[in-house]
Coordinates of all heavy atoms in Angstrom, one line a residue:
S13 N 1.2 7.3 -16.8 CA 2.0 6.4 -17.7 C 2.0 5.0 -17.2 O 2.1 4.8 -16.0 CB 3.4 6.9 -17.9 OG 4.2 6.0 -18.6
R15 N 3.9 2.9 -19.2 CA 5.0 2.4 -20.1 C 6.0 1.7 -19.3 O 6.3 2.1 -18.2 CB 5.6 3.6 -20.8 CG 6.4 3.4 -22.0 CD 6.9 4.7 -22.6 NE 7.8 5.4 -21.7 CZ 9.1 5.2 -21.6 NH1 9.7 4.2 -22.3 NH2 9.9 5.8 -20.7
G17 N 9.5 1.0 -18.0 CA 10.6 1.9 -17.8 C 10.2 3.3 -17.6 O 11.0 4.2 -17.8
R18 N 9.0 3.5 -17.3 CA 8.4 4.9 -17.2 C 9.1 5.8 -16.2 O 9.5 5.4 -15.1 CB 6.9 4.8 -16.8 CG 6.7 4.1 -15.5 CD 5.2 3.8 -15.3 NE 5.1 3.1 -14.0 CZ 4.0 2.6 -13.5 NH1 2.9 2.8 -14.1 NH2 4.0 2.0 -12.3
L19 N 9.3 7.0 -16.6 CA 9.8 8.1 -15.7 C 8.8 8.4 -14.6 O 9.1 8.9 -13.5 CB 10.2 9.3 -16.5 CG 10.8 10.5 -15.7 CD1 12.1 10.1 -15.2 CD2 10.8 11.7 -16.6
C20 N 7.5 8.1 -14.9 CA 6.4 8.4 -14.0 C 6.6 7.9 -12.6 O 6.2 8.5 -11.6 CB 5.1 7.8 -14.6 SG 3.6 8.7 -14.2
P78 N 2.9 12.3 -18.4 CA 3.9 12.8 -19.4 C 3.1 13.3 -20.6 O 1.8 13.2 -20.7 CB 4.6 11.5 -19.8 CG 3.6 10.4 -19.6 CD 2.7 10.9 -18.5
E79 N 3.8 13.8 -21.6 CA 3.2 14.2 -22.9 C 3.6 13.1 -23.9 O 4.7 12.8 -24.1 CB 3.7 15.6 -23.3 CG 3.0 16.1 -24.6 CD 3.4 17.5 -24.9 OE1 3.1 18.3 -24.0 OE2 3.8 17.8 -26.0
Y80 N 2.5 12.6 -24.6 CA 2.8 11.7 -25.7 C 2.1 12.3 -27.0 O 0.9 12.6 -26.9 CB 2.1 10.3 -25.5 CG 2.8 9.4 -24.5 CD1 3.9 9.7 -23.8 CD2 2.3 8.1 -24.3 CE1 4.5 8.8 -22.9 CE2 2.8 7.2 -23.5 CZ 4.0 7.6 -22.8 OH 4.5 6.7 -21.9
N81 N 2.9 12.6 -28.0 CA 2.3 13.1 -29.2 C 1.4 14.3 -29.0 O 0.2 14.3 -29.4 CB 1.6 12.0 -30.0 CG 2.6 11.0 -30.6 OD1 3.7 11.3 -31.0 ND2 2.3 9.7 -30.5
H82 N 1.9 15.2 -28.2 CA 1.2 16.5 -27.9 C -0.1 16.3 -27.2 O -1.0 17.2 -27.2 CB 1.0 17.3 -29.2 CG 2.2 17.9 -29.8 ND1 2.2 19.0 -30.6 CD2 3.5 17.5 -29.6 CE1 3.5 19.2 -30.9 NE2 4.3 18.4 -30.3
Y109 N 5.2 16.4 -17.3 CA 6.6 16.4 -17.7 C 6.7 16.0 -19.2 O 5.8 15.4 -19.7 CB 7.5 15.5 -16.9 CG 7.0 14.1 -16.8 CD1 7.6 13.1 -17.6 CD2 6.0 13.7 -15.9 CE1 7.1 11.8 -17.5 CE2 5.5 12.4 -15.8 CZ 6.1 11.4 -16.6 OH 5.6 10.2 -16.5
G110 N 7.8 16.4 -19.8 CA 8.0 16.1 -21.2 C 9.2 16.9 -21.7 O 10.0 17.3 -21.0
G111 N 9.2 17.1 -23.1 CA 10.3 17.9 -23.7 C 10.1 19.4 -23.3 O 9.8 19.7 -22.2
I112 N 10.3 20.2 -24.3 CA 10.3 21.6 -24.1 C 8.9 22.1 -23.5 O 8.9 23.1 -22.8 CB 10.6 22.4 -25.5 CG1 10.8 23.9 -25.2 CG2 9.5 22.1 -26.5 CD1 12.2 24.1 -24.7
S113 N 7.9 21.4 -23.9 CA 6.5 21.8 -23.4 C 6.3 21.5 -21.9 O 5.3 21.9 -21.3 CB 5.5 21.0 -24.2 OG 5.5 19.7 -23.8
R117 N 0.9 20.5 -22.9 CA -0.1 20.2 -23.9 C -1.0 19.0 -23.5 O -2.2 18.9 -23.7 CB 0.5 19.9 -25.3 CG 1.1 21.2 -25.9 CD 1.8 20.9 -27.2 NE 3.1 20.2 -27.0 CZ 4.2 20.5 -27.6 NH1 4.2 21.5 -28.5 NH2 5.3 19.8 -27.4
W144 N 15.0 15.0 -17.8 CA 15.8 13.7 -17.9 C 17.0 13.9 -17.0 O 17.8 14.8 -17.1 CB 16.2 13.5 -19.3 CG 15.3 14.1 -20.4 CD1 15.6 15.0 -21.3 CD2 13.9 13.9 -20.5 NE1 14.5 15.4 -22.0 CE2 13.5 14.7 -21.6 CE3 12.9 13.1 -19.9 CZ2 12.1 14.7 -22.0 CZ3 11.6 13.1 -20.3 CH2 11.2 13.9 -21.3
Ligands
LIG201 C1 4.8 7.6 -27.7 C2 5.5 8.8 -27.2 C3 5.3 10.0 -27.7 C4 5.9 11.2 -27.1 N1 5.6 12.4 -27.6 C5 6.1 13.5 -26.9 C6 5.6 14.8 -27.2 O1 4.7 15.0 -28.1 N2 6.1 15.8 -26.5 C7 7.0 15.7 -25.5 O2 7.4 16.6 -24.9 N3 7.5 14.4 -25.2 C8 7.1 13.3 -25.9 N4 7.5 12.1 -25.6 C9 8.6 12.0 -24.6 C10 8.0 11.7 -23.3 O3 7.5 12.9 -22.7 C11 9.1 11.1 -22.4 O4 9.6 9.9 -23.0 C12 8.6 10.7 -21.0 O5 9.6 10.2 -20.2 C13 7.5 9.7 -21.1 O6 7.0 9.5 -19.8 P1 7.1 8.0 -19.1 O7 8.5 7.6 -19.2 O8 6.6 8.2 -17.7 O9 6.2 7.1 -19.9 C14 6.9 11.0 -26.1 C15 7.2 9.7 -25.7 C16 6.5 8.6 -26.2 C17 6.8 7.2 -25.6

Side-chain angles (χ1 to χ4, degrees):
S13 172
R15 197 178 65 85
R18 60 192 177 181
L19 182 66
C20 208
E79 181 171 308
Y80 284 4
N81 293 321
H82 289 202
Y109 56 97
I112 191 79
S113 71
R117 289 177 289 221
W144 335 120

